[in-house]
Amino acid sequence: MPQPPHDDVRGFLPDEEGLQLYHWARETAALGPLLEIGSYCGRSTIWLGQAAKEKQGLVFAVDHHRGSEEHQPGESHHDTALVNQRGEVDTLSMFRRNIEAAGLEDTVIAVVTRSAQFARSWSGQLSMVFIDGGHSLSAALSDFRAWAPRVMPGGILAIHDVFPDPAAGGQAPFTIWRLAEASGLFEPLKSVGSLRGFRRIAA
Ligand code: MG
């Protein structure tokens, strides 16, 4: 069984949602590489990575590591422990430390750039895509358009922070969840908290 990430691994993913990510990743990891968009300090990456490691798979963990809108100074989720000597939000060293401590350095490949930039140089299919990047509408749409089509048949698309009720949270992840549902390319899987999944239907 997987180990929940250590308590000092910062993040916004409850363990029950992480465990579901682990199960989906374990189901698909032997089919091809996994992609995570939005790693922050590695909490979800550790769940995905443990599954991939069991299956000799790989996780590409994409994050510019400069924090999303809500992580910037003065914003709701700013964390002063994640500010570098130049005063910038910088989650990369914390991410590296956490991945190393979890024994996942040979499984998790950190890709330090914006996901749209990485998409320009990636041509293959993915066994699983987990979208948990920027939560502005433009960021969520960009991630969805770039990566959802690259989930291979039988693979899984997972989206975090899906809140149908606007009072519960921002609507961008819910918007792309609805797009996936309406696309005819995916069948819904279970949801756990704000985590929702789809399986890509075979062409
Ligand atoms: Mg999230």
Side-chain angles (χ1 to χ4, degrees):
M1 281 304 285
Q3 293 297 313
H6 195 278
D7 283 347
D8 67 9
V9 179
R10 289 167 161 77
F12 311 98
L13 187 82
D15 285 348
E16 60 184 12
E17 298 178 17
L19 187 60
Q20 183 59 59
L21 275 183
Y22 165 85
H23 285 304
W24 283 334
R26 199 168 183 281
E27 225 180 273
T28 56
L31 301 173
L34 293 83
L35 177 77
E36 170 179 75
I37 301 162
S39 300
Y40 194 56
C41 297
R43 215 170 162 85
S44 51
T45 325
I46 289 171
W47 287 107
L48 294 169
Q50 289 184 86
K53 186 175 182 178
E54 285 179 39
K55 299 292 184 178
Q56 287 85 50
L58 291 173
V59 178
F60 288 88
V62 184
D63 198 310
H64 47 60
H65 285 288
R66 299 193 180 283
S68 297
E69 299 88 338
E70 69 275 18
H71 302 134
Q72 302 309 315
E75 300 299 325
S76 60
H77 288 73
H78 182 62
D79 184 339
T80 52
L82 299 173
V83 173
N84 67 19
Q85 290 177 337
R86 292 192 300 275
E88 306 157 336
V89 174
D90 186 348
T91 53
L92 181 57
S93 62
M94 195 74 89
F95 174 83
R96 288 193 75 177
R97 193 188 79 180
N98 291 337
I99 294 303
E100 180 186 8
L104 294 171
E105 282 194 305
D106 290 336
T107 302
V108 172
I109 298 172
V111 181
V112 184
T113 189
R114 294 179 297 108
S115 95
Q117 185 73 359
F118 184 48
R120 293 172 57 191
S121 60
W122 180 277
S123 58
Q125 290 197 308
L126 295 153
S127 64
M128 180 169 167
V129 169
F130 175 45
I131 299 180
D132 191 22
H135 286 10
S136 68
L137 185 58
S138 66
L141 281 173
S142 164
D143 289 338
F144 177 76
R145 290 187 182 122
W147 295 107
R150 307 191 205 203
V151 178
M152 64 180 61
I156 288 175
L157 171 67
I159 303 171
H160 196 226
D161 301 312
V162 174
F163 297 110
D165 177 2
Q171 293 295 285
F174 181 54
T175 299
I176 63 171
W177 177 83
R178 285 191 304 176
L179 286 173
E181 189 185 39
S183 70
L185 297 173
F186 297 95
E187 69 182 9
L189 299 172
K190 67 193 292 189
S191 57
V192 177
S194 73
L195 175 69
R196 305 237 177 153
F198 292 97
R199 190 179 309 281
R200 176 75 189 256
I201 295 166

